[in-house]
Amino acid sequence: MDVQRIPAREGNYNLKDYEKTRQNFSWDEVKKNFSWNETGKVNMAYEAVDRHAADPNKKDRVALYYSSPDREEEVTFGQLSKQSNKFANVLKKYDVKKGDRVFLFMQRSPEFYNAFFGILKLGAIAGPLFEAFMEQAVRDRLQDSEASVLITTPDLLYRVPQEDLPDLKKIILVGDHNESSDKYIDYKKEMAEASAELAIEWVDLEDGMLIHYTSGSTGKPKGVYHVHNAMIQHYATAKWVLDLKDNDVYWCTADPGWVTGTSYGIFAPWLLGVSNVVRGGRFTPDDWYGTLAKYKVTVWYTAPTALRKLVSAGEEAVKRHDLSSLRHLMSVGEPLNPEVVSWGLKAFDLRIHDTWWMTETGAQLIVNFPSQEIRPGSMGKPIPGIEATIVDNEGNELPPNQMGNLAIKEGWPAMMRTIWNRPEKFESYFINGWYVSGDSAYKDEDGYFWFQGRLDDVINTSGERVGPFEVESKLIEHDAVAEAGVIGKPDPERGEIIKAFITLNDGYEKSDELLEDIRQFVKTGLAGHAAPREMEIRDSIPKTRSGKIMRRLLKSWELGLPTGDTSTLEE
Ligand code: WTA
């Protein structure tokens, strides 16, 4: 479908002249917006929360509009500052120190944000986990990070395999429970006793703040390590890309278990002191439209998978709600279909701005700015301060319109600083001074970037990044499964779905019940979104002579494509 370019509209945008800002840009200018620029003392929690709590004009502003189907709460910057002080004091009482890893495994709730900032206030490193994770996923992440404290809710406790987690000293339980061992700390009781006074731990810009686990095509999930310095880029993009202004009401739909949910669901709006909406519970179009209307959301950041569902729900659903406050829409996580952009124009009379970045990049890098023309299907242009290009396998830059590996000049503020426990993995991302993303793309003559796909086997299903190795490992733990190869198969609604090819152990017969049992095994052992939607039993799984599963070949067979070079295929 040939989609027309969409011109910028008149508007009072935070970034008016992209070219000029780019030319004269230095990150040092952005630093002047932070108090640490003068004091040398820094902590993300101070810049995002305490600074506003100390400002008479912002102290009583609502920081968090929280709602879920059974709970509703407003939290001001003043309250969030005090509550997170208290939580920091609770952690302190149990000996948490700067650099310790403290993980959160719970639903979004006001308590989550108190705990999150409490962790940062001690200079400890926060690790948010999706509440959808099952035992194996939780085990891998807590083992690798050697987390000493976990904050969770009693209903999720059964998925925390404590016997395999020798480093885990304390578990803080949010909610009613009957646990009596002194390993457990009761959130409510401790918070009631804790002091709201705290001497925050001032840290270095390069000190650790956050670990987000994410998937690659090989091995266990990687602990992507971010530092306080990321705030510089969160702040800048909150202005340029989110276009936030003082009286905006902002909603980012992402869960903080995902980098979008921290960088843009927490830091970016709060660094600017903007009111932030958090909606818990499951997605339905009417619920989401209702949330936009209820809080008079002005700026909305969501994902293509949700937008596609809204398209299916039709324009009638839009008309049932008053969405007149909305002025700016953005998307991230997967390719944004031009059809969805066209639909957005019709349904909301607004442009949807695609943004591209990754867990590893820590913040937005290539985006569509409100003040620029949109070319539907394109991710847009690099933000000021970022140099992006397309490279070949040796790290040489390619000319416009040639497809290759999307790469970013090393050294932007929010870039990951390492992969936890795996420095060699971190090094492997870089070639010739470029961070090589693993996404294939090209750049047109005018500098717009166009996403083409992943160059490795990483699967993107409904915006969730899933490593085939993790799913394969879980599959072969099932008694019936001998070998497994897992691929992403294109799907109109979900982007990709997970398809698993398996071979059965002797003594097992193919049946629908068995396949369903295997699916459930992955779902309850790893995570719902990691369970294969399609499964196929084969006599063998293609492998290289060195024993690597040839997922590419499985994919070619599945899609009826040419199989390419199969010279390394095992006999
Ligand atoms: C994909 C998400 C197309 C891409 C913040 C990337 C996208 C991976 C886009 C990172 C986009 C992200 N268009 N693809 N606008 N944004 N992706 O780490 O393949 O969960 O490498 O971070 O998602 O996923 P991650």
Side-chain angles (χ1 to χ4, degrees), residues 258 333-335 354-359 439 451 454 460 465:
W258 187 36
E334 313 156 66
D354 192 14
T355 65
W356 177 88
W357 56 294
M358 306 172 68
T359 306
D439 281 357
F451 179 85
R454 275 301 295 180
N460 191 333
R465 192 164 149 184

Side-chain angles (χ1 to χ4, degrees), residues 52-324:
H52 310 308
D55 177 346
N57 295 319
K58 285 205 176 157
K59 176 171 157 290
D60 297 320
R61 177 180 291 181
V62 174
L64 176 65
Y65 286 108
Y66 176 80
S67 75
S68 68
D70 50 17
R71 187 173 170 191
E72 217 167 280
E73 234 163 286
E74 292 180 4
V75 183
T76 65
F77 281 106
Q79 290 166 332
L80 184 56
S81 172
K82 282 216 178 83
Q83 293 296 317
S84 50
N85 275 355
K86 284 189 177 189
F87 194 84
N89 280 321
V90 174
L91 290 177
K92 223 170 163 176
K93 174 172 164 191
Y94 294 101
D95 234 22
V96 170
K97 297 199 172 57
K98 183 179 168 195
D100 289 351
R101 276 78 60 213
V102 178
F103 272 55
L104 303 117
F105 176 43
M106 61 193 291
Q107 276 190 19
R108 280 170 276 190
S109 69
E111 292 77 17
F112 175 92
Y113 298 89
N114 298 339
F116 185 80
F117 281 108
I119 296 167
L120 301 195
K121 283 182 171 182
L122 291 185
I125 299 169
L129 301 180
F130 272 117
E131 61 160 314
F133 283 149
M134 304 307 274
E135 187 177 296
Q136 181 71 43
V138 174
R139 179 190 291 115
D140 286 344
R141 287 156 178 82
L142 293 182
Q143 271 180 350
D144 184 66
S145 62
E146 296 163 276
S148 59
V149 176
L150 178 71
I151 302 132
T152 188
T153 51
D155 59 317
L156 294 177
L157 204 51
Y158 78 98
R159 302 188 202 155
V160 183
Q162 295 182 49
E163 58 293 351
D164 304 336
L165 302 169
D167 299 298
L168 188 61
K169 300 287 180 305
K170 295 285 176 196
I171 296 181
I172 302 182
L173 288 172
V174 181
D176 297 333
H177 63 91
N178 303 315
E179 307 294 342
S180 53
S181 118
D182 62 6
K183 181 157 190 185
Y184 299 102
I185 301 170
D186 186 82
Y187 174 89
K188 205 164 159 191
K189 178 168 162 285
E190 296 280 346
M191 287 290 276
E193 292 166 6
S195 161
E197 300 296 318
L198 176 82
I200 195 170
E201 177 85 25
W202 298 110
V203 299
D204 191 86
L205 279 170
E206 291 298 317
D207 279 332
M209 175 172 78
L210 197 58
I211 297 177
H212 271 297
Y213 278 85
T214 191
S215 302
S217 52
T218 56
K220 296 255 184 201
K222 306 174 273 197
V224 178
Y225 177 80
H226 289 293
V227 299
H228 287 258
N229 191 68
M231 69 174 76
I232 297 170
Q233 199 170 343
H234 296 151
Y235 181 94
T237 50
K239 290 208 153 175
W240 298 328
V241 188
L242 276 43
D243 196 44
L244 289 178
K245 305 210 172 67
D246 209 40
N247 50 8
D248 271 315
V249 178
Y250 169 78
W251 183 24
C252 169
T253 56
D255 187 278
W258 187 36
V259 71
T260 307
T262 53
S263 295
Y264 294 99
I266 300 180
F267 300 133
W270 283 346
L271 283 168
L272 298 195
V274 166
S275 298
N276 193 15
V277 172
V278 170
R279 175 75 183 162
R282 286 194 159 271
F283 168 91
T284 67
D286 269 312
D287 187 275
W288 279 27
Y289 289 139
T291 302
L292 291 169
K294 175 175 166 146
Y295 294 105
K296 300 192 168 47
V297 172
T298 56
V299 178
W300 193 32
Y301 199 7
T302 188
T305 185
L307 290 166
R308 286 191 295 263
K309 284 186 193 153
L310 295 181
V311 174
S312 317
E315 275 181 70
E316 276 312 304
V318 184
K319 294 201 182 102
R320 282 197 289 274
H321 304 271
D322 175 8
L323 306 181
S324 55

Side-chain angles (χ1 to χ4, degrees), residues 326-506:
L326 265 186
R327 69 169 179 87
H328 183 41
L329 306 182
M330 287 157 295
S331 165
V332 64
E334 313 156 66
L336 179 63
N337 323 62
E339 293 82 351
V340 175
V341 178
S342 307
W343 182 81
L345 273 181
K346 267 197 301 168
F348 304 115
D349 191 26
L350 289 171
R351 311 191 313 167
I352 305 175
H353 300 77
D354 192 14
T355 65
W356 177 88
W357 56 294
M358 306 172 68
T359 306
E360 291 88 337
T361 75
Q364 296 162 337
L365 293 180
I366 296 178
V367 308
N368 286 280
F369 296 96
S371 57
Q372 278 183 321
E373 171 182 280
I374 287 180
R375 302 185 175 181
S378 161
M379 311 185 287
K381 294 187 175 189
I383 62 170
I386 293 296
E387 200 187 325
T389 196
I390 305 295
V391 297
D392 64 15
N393 291 338
E394 279 75 49
N396 305 306
E397 285 189 66
L398 294 173
N401 294 321
Q402 219 165 305
M403 233 166 86
N405 211 322
L406 175 55
I408 310 294
K409 181 59 71 59
E410 201 178 322
W412 61 94
M415 187 177 95
M416 63 172 167
R417 294 303 196 259
T418 193
I419 298 289
W420 189 256
N421 279 336
R422 287 159 80 186
E424 73 298 337
K425 184 86 205 169
F426 173 70
E427 291 303 326
S428 73
Y429 280 90
F430 299 93
I431 174 167
N432 282 352
W434 295 101
Y435 163 85
V436 181
S437 70
D439 281 357
S440 78
Y442 69 89
K443 179 169 92 168
D444 68 22
E445 298 82 5
D446 302 321
Y448 282 80
F449 283 79
W450 300 76
F451 179 85
Q452 302 296 297
R454 275 301 295 180
L455 288 160
D456 58 19
D457 299 330
V458 171
I459 301 166
N460 191 333
T461 177
S462 293
E464 311 263 11
R465 192 164 149 184
V466 177
F469 176 81
E470 265 185 279
V471 184
E472 288 159 1
S473 306
K474 195 74 215 169
L475 282 165
I476 59 176
E477 277 178 34
H478 191 285
D479 289 340
V481 180
E483 288 183 320
V486 166
I487 62 163
K489 179 177 171 181
D491 179 81
E493 192 182 315
R494 295 186 169 81
E496 287 182 313
I497 57 163
I498 300 173
K499 169 143 194 180
F501 298 86
I502 56 174
T503 62
L504 294 181
N505 280 318
D506 288 348

